[in-house]
Amino acid sequence: TAERVDGGLVTRLAADLEGQRSALSLLQLVGATLWRSGEEQLALATYESLGGVAGILAQHGEERLGLWDGGELHAARELLLGLCDADGPLEAVDREALLDAVEPRLDQPRAAVSRHLEALIDGRLVCAFADAGGGGERLALSHPGLLEAWPRLARWFADERERATLRAEVKIAAELWRRRGESDSELW
């Protein structure tokens, strides 16, 4: 009944979900999470204490990935990071391009990688949508705040940025070594 939902919560949810591609799915997840909190009223204070949409989604993601084994976690990491660049979450990534990029890094057939991706979509961590230009299916993290709210994903992202920085530095050092005549005395 209406008495069981804090009016401030409704206003806040409307604002937090406005413009989100997966708004209805996220609303269902938030509602179910708040309902399970056991309080008599679905309250704004509870919603805020859980970190809002991104916090609830991060907790949900941790619960989902807690059921996965090492190979599945590695696939999840690669797929989720494939939806980001050095600056953070990307607006949209082509599904086939993501699979093409991730598959070589995993010791799994494409069908298995696709199943892991579907599990992330079913788990509401990734949203899938049609390309407005009539192209193939596009993908994105389900919420832009997920990268900051989910410690595991934030750690994976930071580790990947650090590796990318190191790769860039090694590439620069290799190029300088080549320009200087490839002297053994300049090797590390």
Side-chain angles (χ1 to χ4, degrees):
T1 63
E3 309 87 49
R4 298 189 67 189
V5 179
D6 178 347
L9 174 63
V10 173
T11 303
R12 176 71 179 277
L13 279 170
D16 288 355
L17 293 171
E18 183 178 7
Q20 294 295 312
R21 286 189 179 96
S22 55
L24 289 177
S25 177
L26 293 173
L27 179 62
Q28 193 261 344
L29 175 64
V30 168
T33 302
L34 292 173
W35 186 262
R36 284 192 306 270
S37 73
E39 296 184 18
E40 289 184 29
Q41 184 181 45
L42 301 183
L44 178 59
T46 304
Y47 172 75
E48 289 175 340
S49 75
L50 294 171
V53 173
I56 290 169
L57 189 57
Q59 179 181 350
H60 174 72
E62 200 56 38
E63 291 167 1
R64 295 286 297 218
L65 293 189
L67 303 172
W68 291 25
D69 67 25
E72 293 168 326
L73 281 175
H74 182 60
R77 178 189 184 282
E78 294 299 323
L79 288 163
L80 291 168
L81 291 177
L83 299 172
C84 302
D85 66 9
D87 296 323
L90 294 166
E91 186 68 28
V93 175
D94 179 75
R95 179 189 188 102
E96 293 305 314
L98 176 65
L99 291 172
D100 288 345
V102 169
E103 183 184 6
R105 295 194 300 260
L106 300 173
D107 189 25
Q108 300 176 25
R110 189 177 189 96
V113 178
S114 284
R115 281 193 304 276
H116 298 315
L117 178 57
E118 286 304 317
L120 293 171
I121 293 168
D122 292 344
R124 299 185 186 103
L125 301 172
V126 172
C127 66
F129 50 96
D131 183 352
E137 185 177 42
R138 309 289 281 171
L139 305 166
L141 292 179
S142 290
H143 191 276
L146 188 58
L147 187 58
E148 292 85 31
W150 191 1
R152 181 191 304 246
L153 184 56
R155 187 175 57 252
W156 285 347
F157 181 73
D159 289 349
E160 185 57 32
R161 281 179 81 173
E162 193 172 306
R163 278 195 278 287
T165 299
L166 180 59
R167 283 190 301 270
E169 290 171 353
V170 167
K171 185 176 179 178
I172 290 168
E175 180 58 33
L176 286 172
W177 177 70
R178 276 192 285 285
R179 284 186 198 167
R180 292 179 180 154
E182 300 180 5
S183 170
D184 289 345
S185 65
E186 292 188 25
L187 293 177
W188 301 342

